[in-house]
């Protein structure tokens, strides 16, 4: 009987909606942006995927970071990708990052009672360069020099305030994103796995993966500010 009860409870967990219990982040630098995310997807308390990709391309130089319901955010990114492709065909020009953010915002706001989606849209265009737009639950949109989201973001607000500085280089921005995500993953039980990053600039997109046993965070030693971002 005890085993039957356990199996029944496990089955109920597996029937729940796939959620991106998540840490996502994006940061602007001079000439582009860095986006990053962990890779853990949960179904209730069950980890259904430990190596998912939450960095979704919506155009050649525009990406979104997804948190919330996996199904909802995948549907939104698919719709926006379709609209941006149509826009490119009709205009003959690459879409603006702000256009992609506006499309995501409209879908999230107009369906805020049906969707569970918190997203970050980031990329590079010829008009404004690197840009980061935060679109949390409800469809509010704001451009920020850096944005964080997901369940793990609640653990790193102070970290980001302390470590962020204006006019960071590409290398500094990438280190900032990786360390912030590693910190969130160490504290948040719904975040984990590995870190995926993408650097987006005028030359295109460069993807990178940092495996779970190579994360730059050690709970017993903490972090050294000078080793992270040069003053």
């Amino acid at each position: 009987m005890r085993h039957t009860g356990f199996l029944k409870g496990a089955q109920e967990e597996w029937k729940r909606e796939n959620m991106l219990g998540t840490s996502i982040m994006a940061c602007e630098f001079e000439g582009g942006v860095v986006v990053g995310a962990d890779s853990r997807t949960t179904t209730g308390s069950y980890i259904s995927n430990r190596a998912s990709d939450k960095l979704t391309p919506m155009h050649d130089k525009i990406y979104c970071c997804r948190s919330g319901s996996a199904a909802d955010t995948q549907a939104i990114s698919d719709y926006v990708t379709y609209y941006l492709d149509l826009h490119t065909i009709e205009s003959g020009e690459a879409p603006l990052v702000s256009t992609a953010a506006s499309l995501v915002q409209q879908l999230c706001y107009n369906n805020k009672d049906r969707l569970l989606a918190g997203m970050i849209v980031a990329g590079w265009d010829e008009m404004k360069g690197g840009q980061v737009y935060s679109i949390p639950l409800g469809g509010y949109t704001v451009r920020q020099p850096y944005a964080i989201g997901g369940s793990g973001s609640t653990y790193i607000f102070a970290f980001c305030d302390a470590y962020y500085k204006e006019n960071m280089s590409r290398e500094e921005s990438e280190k900032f994103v990786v360390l912030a995500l590693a910190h969130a993953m160490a504290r948040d039980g719904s975040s984990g796995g590995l870190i995926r990053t993408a650097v987006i600039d005028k030359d295109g997109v460069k993807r990178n993966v940092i495996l779970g046993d190579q994360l730059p965070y050690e709970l017993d030693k903490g972090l050294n500010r000078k080793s992270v971002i040069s003053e």
Side-chain angles (χ1 to χ4, degrees):
M1 294 294 293
R2 293 177 62 185
H3 291 296
T4 302
F6 171 78
L7 290 175
K8 184 177 180 180
Q11 289 173 351
E12 291 299 320
E13 286 288 302
W14 298 338
K15 291 179 182 178
R16 293 187 183 183
E17 182 178 12
N18 275 1
M19 303 291 289
L20 298 176
T22 298
S23 298
I24 58 175
M25 186 172 182
C27 181
E28 296 179 2
F29 65 89
E30 187 65 31
V33 296
V34 179
V35 296
D38 75 310
S39 65
R40 177 174 292 177
T41 298
T42 58
T43 303
S45 59
Y46 173 70
I47 300 174
S48 55
N49 190 341
R50 60 193 179 98
S52 60
D53 189 355
K54 303 174 187 178
L55 305 181
T56 303
M58 295 194 294
H59 205 264
D60 293 344
K61 298 177 183 177
I62 303 175
Y63 270 63
C64 71
C65 307
R66 302 180 294 111
S67 69
S69 165
D72 292 350
T73 56
Q74 286 172 354
I76 291 170
S77 62
D78 286 345
Y79 271 113
V80 173
T81 300
Y82 171 73
Y83 292 139
L84 292 179
D85 287 342
L86 286 181
H87 173 77
T88 302
I89 293 171
E90 292 176 354
S91 66
E93 298 178 350
L96 301 177
V97 181
S98 58
T99 300
S102 179
L103 289 170
V104 172
Q105 183 269 333
Q106 289 182 43
L107 288 170
C108 290
Y109 180 79
N110 292 333
N111 300 279
K112 58 181 175 290
D113 57 336
R114 302 180 185 90
L115 299 177
L116 184 62
M119 304 177 73
I120 298 173
V121 176
W124 182 94
D125 60 51
E126 293 184 355
M127 183 173 292
K128 295 182 180 179
Q131 301 149 72
V132 171
Y133 294 90
S134 177
I135 307 167
L137 296 174
Y140 175 74
T141 305
V142 60
R143 181 179 176 182
Q144 298 177 299
Y146 73 88
I148 56 178
S151 57
S153 66
T154 58
Y155 297 91
I156 58 172
F157 279 100
F159 175 91
C160 291
D161 287 342
Y163 280 72
Y164 174 77
K165 68 176 185 178
E166 295 181 353
N167 302 317
M168 287 193 292
S169 66
R170 169 176 171 164
E171 291 76 16
E172 289 174 330
S173 297
E174 194 166 9
K175 287 181 180 179
F176 174 55
V177 169
V178 169
L179 281 168
L181 291 174
H183 194 101
M185 292 162 65
R187 298 293 183 181
D188 178 33
S190 295
S191 301
L194 50 85
I195 293 178
R196 300 183 190 275
T197 63
V199 180
I200 310 170
D201 57 22
K202 65 178 181 179
D203 297 322
V205 181
K206 181 179 179 181
R207 299 286 303 257
N208 189 31
V209 174
I210 301 173
L211 300 179
D213 60 352
Q214 299 172 0
L215 299 181
Y217 181 87
E218 297 182 43
L219 200 60
D220 57 339
K221 296 181 180 179
L223 296 168
N224 184 342
R225 180 183 174 89
K226 291 184 178 180
S227 68
V228 180
I229 301 172
S230 60
E231 298 293 345

